[in-house]
Amino acid sequence: MKRYIILLLLLWPVIALAQEDNQRGYVFMVNTLHAENPVIFKTPVVENNKREPVFMSSSLQPKDPVFFRVALKQRPIKRSVYGFVKPTLWGSYNKIGVNVSEVAFVNWNAGGVSSVSGLINVDLKRTYKTKNTRWRNELLAKYGVNKQKELGWRKTEDNIELNSSFGFRNDSLTNLYYTAKLRFSTQFSNGYEYPDISNRISTIFSPAYLFTGIGAEYGANDENFSIYASPLTMKSTLVLDQELANNGAFGVKPAVRDSEGNVIEEGEHLLTQMGILITNEYKAKIAENITLSNKLSLYTDYLNDFGNIDIDWEVAFNFKVNHFVVANLGSHFIYDNDIKMRVENADGETIEKGPVAQWKQQLGIGITVEL
């Protein structure tokens, strides 16, 4: 009799475990290589056996995962429901801004010209980041117009730019990346030297700039500061419009003409250079609702006038009014030795003046939406 009692006591936990087995949920452990992206997996929910979802949290001991339950709030349905949050290495940033300004005069004694202007700004980023690599892609687009009474529509801003960089570092303790970069930029529509709109001075893919190079970048994993230096960067200038190419616009070889000005040999569409590129990006919060953004690019060619530096420097102050309304003050300075300005002399002839400094200033307020 004692043997049966002892046997029953030994088997009782097994019997109790078998009786409660139909009331238990299933726990699925999913491995993840990134602790900052925990994996969530729910157990099935069936009609006759209501199970609670089970969440797996990160644990310092991979062999001892931590689980906890939360109450099932939704009504159980007949079919099985699985919820799964897939870990991702991609990061995204989307911003669209619209600035509009308008002024109107009716019998205004002090005088003035009625005008309306608008600007749309698009900034899209996609970043793929692992422990020792980073692939960053960025699309920037701006287009602005202005209309004054009796003058019609005029372009004030026109730019589209695509940036892509891939960096690799030896270990996770350093901020120095070996980086390959690509940058392509052009414009959307024709450009004119107002008020003359009979002769365009630029158009889409005329010019278009392509920078490709390899170098080293410090702070590539920091969103607020980075500096990139490349001893081997190829700069390609495309001028696909034949009329502009014949005139030698943007540094390409012009057409060969006879004494009467007739074209004997068409101008070239491509100018290729090899040189040194240094870029810097810096962002800082200088007040509670004021941020500063600085982008600087310096380039010099090895073969043609080495030491003559092309400069592209853009500074912007953003004043955040609230979550949607933003005011901005910006400055953009460009000096390119290949862009020659043409002017009329005292005899009315168009002559080449040479490269000059270009500067643009902006002040606006508008609506910005981040998605």
Side-chain angles (χ1 to χ4, degrees):
M1 186 63 179
K2 292 181 180 181
R3 287 182 294 179
Y4 292 107
I5 294 175
I6 294 173
L7 182 61
L8 181 61
L9 292 176
L10 293 175
L11 294 178
W12 178 255
V14 179
I15 297 173
L17 183 64
Q19 291 176 348
E20 295 179 2
D21 185 67
N22 58 355
Q23 299 178 0
R24 293 179 175 170
Y26 295 95
V27 177
F28 297 89
M29 180 176 177
V30 182
N31 294 327
T32 175
L33 297 177
H34 304 278
E36 65 271 18
N37 296 321
V39 178
I40 301 174
F41 209 93
K42 292 182 180 179
T43 57
V45 178
V46 295
E47 182 179 17
N48 298 327
N49 187 9
K50 298 180 181 180
R51 300 194 181 103
E52 296 177 348
V54 177
F55 292 82
M56 183 183 75
S57 65
S58 299
S59 172
L60 297 178
Q61 302 294 331
K63 295 182 179 179
D64 298 319
V66 179
F67 298 94
F68 63 93
R69 290 177 178 269
V70 294
L72 184 63
K73 296 181 180 180
Q74 66 271 22
R75 296 176 60 186
I77 55 179
K78 293 183 179 181
R79 61 184 178 86
S80 296
V81 177
Y82 294 87
F84 178 66
V85 178
K86 184 178 181 180
T88 178
L89 301 177
W90 284 95
S92 63
Y93 173 79
N94 307 301
K95 185 175 75 172
I96 300 175
V98 178
N99 293 352
V100 178
S101 63
E102 182 267 346
V103 59
F105 300 93
V106 178
N107 300 325
W108 192 252
N109 184 60
V113 179
S114 300
S115 66
V116 59
S117 61
L119 171 67
I120 184 169
N121 182 14
V122 177
D123 185 359
L124 307 178
K125 294 184 177 69
R126 296 293 183 272
T127 303
Y128 180 85
K129 184 164 55 177
T130 63
K131 183 179 180 180
N132 293 326
T133 61
R134 183 185 184 187
W135 182 26
R136 183 177 179 180
N137 303 279
E138 181 180 38
L139 175 64
L140 302 173
K142 292 182 180 179
Y143 196 83
V145 292
N146 173 270
K147 184 179 186 302
Q148 295 184 6
K149 186 178 180 181
E150 298 178 356
L151 294 181
W153 292 98
R154 295 186 175 186
K155 183 173 63 173
T156 59
E157 186 82 26
D158 188 2
N159 179 57
I160 179 170
E161 182 177 325
L162 175 65
N163 297 302
S164 182
S165 64
F166 180 83
F168 171 79
R169 60 182 178 179
N170 293 327
D171 56 72
S172 59
L173 299 179
T174 181
N175 287 325
L176 183 65
Y177 284 72
Y178 303 103
T179 304
K181 282 201 173 192
L182 178 146
R183 185 180 75 184
F184 177 81
S185 62
T186 185
Q187 61 191 59
F188 290 100
S189 60
N190 295 341
Y192 301 97
E193 189 173 353
Y194 297 107
D196 181 13
I197 58 174
S198 59
N199 298 310
R200 60 179 178 270
I201 59 174
S202 63
T203 186
I204 183 171
F205 295 113
S206 298
Y209 298 101
L210 176 64
F211 289 84
T212 55
I214 56 174
E217 184 173 14
Y218 180 82
N221 221 10
D222 188 349
E223 296 294 336
N224 297 322
F225 175 81
S226 68
I227 182 169
Y228 169 76
S230 170
L232 290 174
T233 294
M234 184 176 68
K235 176 184 177 182
S236 301
T237 304
L238 288 82
V239 182
L240 300 187
D241 185 273
Q242 191 61 60
E243 182 179 351
L244 294 175
N246 290 342
N247 293 332
F250 308 104
V252 298
K253 185 177 180 180
V256 178
R257 302 176 185 268
D258 58 18
S259 58
E260 298 180 355
N262 299 317
V263 176
I264 301 175
E265 182 180 347
E266 300 282 2
E268 296 184 358
H269 297 283
L270 177 65
L271 171 65
T272 303
Q273 298 170 300
M274 180 64 73
I276 301 173
L277 175 66
I278 298 176
T279 65
N280 170 248
E281 293 188 19
Y282 175 71
K283 294 180 181 179
K285 183 177 181 180
I286 60 178
E288 181 64 27
N289 293 324
I290 304 176
T291 58
L292 167 67
S293 176
N294 178 82
K295 296 176 67 176
L296 175 64
S297 175
L298 305 174
Y299 181 81
T300 183
D301 181 44
Y302 282 122
L303 302 178
N304 299 321
D305 200 7
F306 178 76
N308 195 329
I309 300 175
D310 296 339
I311 304 173
D312 190 335
W313 185 18
E314 191 170 0
V315 180
F317 292 89
N318 294 317
F319 306 88
K320 188 174 182 179
V321 180
N322 54 39
H323 188 67
F324 297 102
V325 180
V326 176
N328 53 72
L329 173 63
S331 171
H332 196 175
F333 176 85
I334 295 177
Y335 176 83
D336 192 332
N337 191 57
D338 297 319
I339 301 179
K340 315 293 185 181
M341 301 299 293
R342 303 177 69 88
V343 296
E344 287 188 2
N345 59 15
D347 299 330
E349 299 175 348
T350 301
I351 60 174
E352 188 175 272
K353 184 179 180 180
V356 296
Q358 307 172 54
W359 182 68
K360 178 178 62 178
Q361 182 268 330
Q362 285 182 307
L363 174 63
I365 185 171
I367 297 176
T368 300
V369 179
E370 295 184 5
L371 305 174

